[in-house]
Amino acid sequence: MMLRRGFILFLPRLAGLLVVACCSVSIVYMLACTPKGDNQQLALPRAHSPTAKEGYEAILQEREEQHRNYIISLKKQIAQLKAELQGRSKQLKNVQGQHSDPLDVRLDHGNAEKSQANLLAFLRSQIDKAEVHSGIKLSTEYAAVPFESFTLQKVYQLETGLTRHPEEKPVRKDKRDELAEVIELAAGSLNGPAGDDNAKHHLYTASDFVEGIYRTEKDKGTLYELTFKGDTKHQFKKVVLFRPFGPVMKVKNENVNIADTLINVIVPLAKRASKFRQFMHNFREMGMQQDGRIHLTVVYFGKEQMNEVKSILENTSKSANFKNFTFIQLNEEFSRGKGLDVGARFWKGNNVVLFFCDVDIYFTAQFLNSCRLNTQPGKKVFYPVLFSQYNPSIIYGHHDSIPSLEQQLVIKKETGFWRDFGFGMTCQYRSDFINIGGFDLDIKGWGGEDVHLYRKYLHSNLIVIRTPVRGLFHLWHEKQCLDELTPEQYKMCMQSKAMNEASHGQLGMLVFKQEIETHLQRQKLSSKKT
């Protein structure tokens, strides 16, 4: 009886507690579901305000637009994936029909093999996209992708070249396409399903991209880290992507016989008899004695020093029993492009490799073979990056005597630089030179004609091999920039002159020479006092 009376007394209290709990839950629900008033979400208009209907319609319209854009983005990505899948299927059929598997992998042994076949097809498609089997038309000389040469012990690279800037737009198409693809993929990953259909979803585009960093490990792949704007001023979104590299694949094996490949070295010249004597000393040793499969064409402008030059050529050839030379004399103002063009067209024999050369160039027999191996009629032309020698009197000024020329020709930071802004020394077959249209004969004097020809080749379907070579040197000589040059030519000449003297460190020693001498004198005085 007492228990029943206690329960009756406790029942109103229990009912009160339940009412309080329900009220608390209702308050929490209202707080959680009420739209935020900051920048993260638009506030809903009050139910009884005069603009309630318009406000709700505006918000619904905005969300509908966001979903519509998201659907369009998904459809675009689906279409791209379908197109890529169709392309890969065609490439796989072509590969199965035309090539054997370079990794000795059968393409039709079950699901695992099919997956591997798809990977191989993709990797082969990368080869097809690259400039391997044919040339790609390029818009400018700076868009060409240079090769890097190497031996068993050393790599010859352009990392310290002179045409790079601390800040520049990507000129090369492959670099532009790579970064654009990465940004698009990163934005697409941010636009993926967020998991909360009720939350507002921001559609990320390239305009939200803040910055990115990337680095490449050549045996693994490229890592990208991209930062996008977040929902508020101090929030950001970070996306990490990785582009893996595939295994090394054999493209082809071939035997190359250059035993009968003749090179016609064409040298335009005016005066400079002493330099020509030095050139012929190099030509005799490397061209006549060591190589032997070579012809020399000298195109001489004017008559001053002509007899001396002709005598040097004839005497050197007679002493070496060498008859493969041609001397052409032009009674007109010197034009490098005109001289090379005349020399190339004068040849009447079979198709020949042309090596456009200057009188202040030193080459080795090894370079002549590189010239042959990197040219192919209708296929490839060779644009080597030569090593340019600094002023020997500055480099070896602290020595007792200047070493011999052969001892000076070493590839070091202190002795010279890769002349990656020069395009004058080049090898190509005569047929390619004629078909491309030769030099622009309207260009007079020094500079400009080589870049014009280089651009012609870049605009064609020929493969341009651009690489530093260890057997081609530009010998230092004092450069004279004449007043007759056009402003653009004069500027190019002066830039070349400034770069030819010495390295930054060596020039710095000359600039601060007085300070250094003063310091040494003070050191001597202080040592005497002690």
Side-chain angles (χ1 to χ4, degrees), residues 146-158 218 248 366 370 374 411 418 466-471:
F147 287 75
E148 295 179 355
S149 59
F150 60 96
T151 62
L152 192 61
Q153 292 83 16
K154 296 182 180 180
V155 174
Y156 301 86
Q157 56 190 2
L158 294 176
K218 294 189 176 182
V248 177
Q366 185 181 39
S370 296
N374 288 291
I411 300 176
W418 291 116
R466 180 76 168 157
T467 177
V469 291
R470 62 186 186 277

Side-chain angles (χ1 to χ4, degrees), residues 343-390:
R345 296 179 188 277
F346 190 84
W347 179 263
K348 303 303 180 186
N350 295 330
N351 200 11
V352 65
V353 176
L354 303 176
F355 171 34
F356 294 151
C357 189
D358 287 340
V359 73
D360 49 15
I361 295 298
Y362 182 97
F363 59 85
T364 64
Q366 185 181 39
F367 165 74
L368 295 176
N369 278 338
S370 296
C371 189
R372 295 181 176 97
L373 290 169
N374 288 291
T375 53
Q376 188 176 347
K379 188 88 170 182
K380 294 190 294 186
V381 295
F382 187 37
Y383 270 84
V385 180
L386 52 80
F387 193 77
S388 193
Q389 182 190 33
Y390 286 139

Side-chain angles (χ1 to χ4, degrees), residues 159-316:
E159 292 298 327
T160 58
L162 299 175
T163 60
R164 299 179 184 268
H165 301 280
E167 181 186 63
E168 64 180 6
K169 293 182 178 179
V171 179
R172 285 169 31 185
K173 184 177 183 298
D174 63 320
K175 179 58 63 178
R176 290 199 308 270
D177 291 348
E178 176 198 12
L179 297 180
E181 179 189 13
V182 167
I183 293 172
E184 183 179 354
L185 285 173
S189 70
L190 292 174
N191 291 329
D196 186 1
D197 295 335
N198 295 323
K200 181 182 176 182
H201 184 72
H202 176 71
L203 186 66
Y204 286 89
T205 64
S207 61
D208 297 309
F209 176 67
V210 179
E211 65 178 4
I213 58 174
Y214 67 95
R215 67 177 180 182
T216 300
E217 295 182 69
K218 294 189 176 182
D219 61 335
K220 298 178 182 69
T222 304
L223 174 68
Y224 308 88
E225 295 186 12
L226 298 92
T227 304
F228 289 79
K229 297 175 185 176
D231 296 328
T232 63
K233 180 179 179 181
H234 299 294
Q235 287 186 340
F236 296 91
K237 295 282 189 179
K238 200 158 193 176
V239 180
V240 178
L241 303 174
F242 189 74
R243 185 192 301 271
F245 293 161
V248 177
M249 300 180 66
K250 182 184 73 177
V251 177
K252 62 180 177 180
N253 286 343
E254 60 180 347
N255 295 320
V256 181
N257 188 352
I258 58 174
D260 299 324
T261 305
L262 184 69
I263 296 179
N264 185 4
V265 181
I266 303 178
V267 180
L269 186 63
K271 305 176 186 177
R272 306 185 71 184
S274 60
K275 283 291 181 182
F276 184 70
R277 188 184 303 277
Q278 184 183 54
F279 172 83
M280 286 303 299
H281 177 76
N282 170 229
F283 185 86
R284 173 175 176 168
E285 181 182 356
M286 299 297 173
M288 298 179 186
Q289 296 176 353
Q290 294 192 28
D291 186 83
R293 298 154 294 161
I294 199 165
H295 186 98
L296 176 62
T297 300
V298 178
V299 182
Y300 197 86
F301 289 82
K303 294 184 177 180
E304 187 176 354
Q305 299 184 18
M306 182 188 72
N307 292 332
E308 185 179 357
V309 167
K310 206 170 183 182
S311 176
I312 294 170
L313 175 61
E314 292 172 350
N315 291 336
T316 304

Side-chain angles (χ1 to χ4, degrees), residues 87-106:
R88 299 280 167 81
S89 299
K90 291 180 180 178
Q91 290 168 356
L92 177 59
K93 290 179 181 179
N94 293 335
V95 167
Q96 290 175 329
Q98 298 176 7
H99 302 283
S100 61
D101 182 13
L103 299 179
D104 295 327
V105 178
R106 307 295 293 184

Side-chain angles (χ1 to χ4, degrees), residues 7 141 161 242 294 303 309 410 442 444 470 493 498 500:
F7 178 75
E141 63 270 23
F242 189 74
I294 199 165
K303 294 184 177 180
V309 167
V410 290
D442 293 331
K444 306 296 182 183
R470 62 186 186 277
C493 184
N500 280 345

Side-chain angles (χ1 to χ4, degrees), residues 392-490:
S393 62
I394 296 178
I395 300 172
Y396 306 102
H398 59 287
H399 291 195
D400 295 334
S401 61
I402 297 177
S404 65
L405 177 61
E406 286 73 16
Q407 292 175 322
Q408 295 177 31
L409 300 179
V410 290
I411 300 176
K412 292 184 179 180
K413 188 176 181 180
E414 298 79 16
T415 60
F417 61 95
W418 291 116
R419 203 180 186 89
D420 60 335
F421 57 85
F423 308 98
M425 308 311 125
T426 174
C427 300
Q428 66 265 285
Y429 271 85
R430 183 179 180 274
S431 57
D432 293 327
F433 176 77
I434 298 299
N435 292 335
I436 209 72
F439 284 102
D440 183 355
L441 300 182
D442 293 331
I443 299 176
K444 306 296 182 183
W446 185 94
E449 81 292 329
D450 52 350
V451 179
H452 187 269
L453 178 65
Y454 184 57
R455 287 172 178 167
K456 282 186 177 181
Y457 283 124
L458 293 178
H459 296 164
S460 74
N461 289 322
L462 294 171
I463 298 175
V464 178
I465 305 295
R466 180 76 168 157
T467 177
V469 291
R470 62 186 186 277
L472 189 63
F473 296 87
H474 177 267
L475 303 180
W476 182 87
H477 60 87
E478 188 174 358
K479 189 173 290 294
Q480 301 291 335
C481 298
L482 304 177
D483 293 335
E484 298 84 56
L485 297 175
T486 65
E488 183 63 25
Q489 288 177 324
Y490 191 83

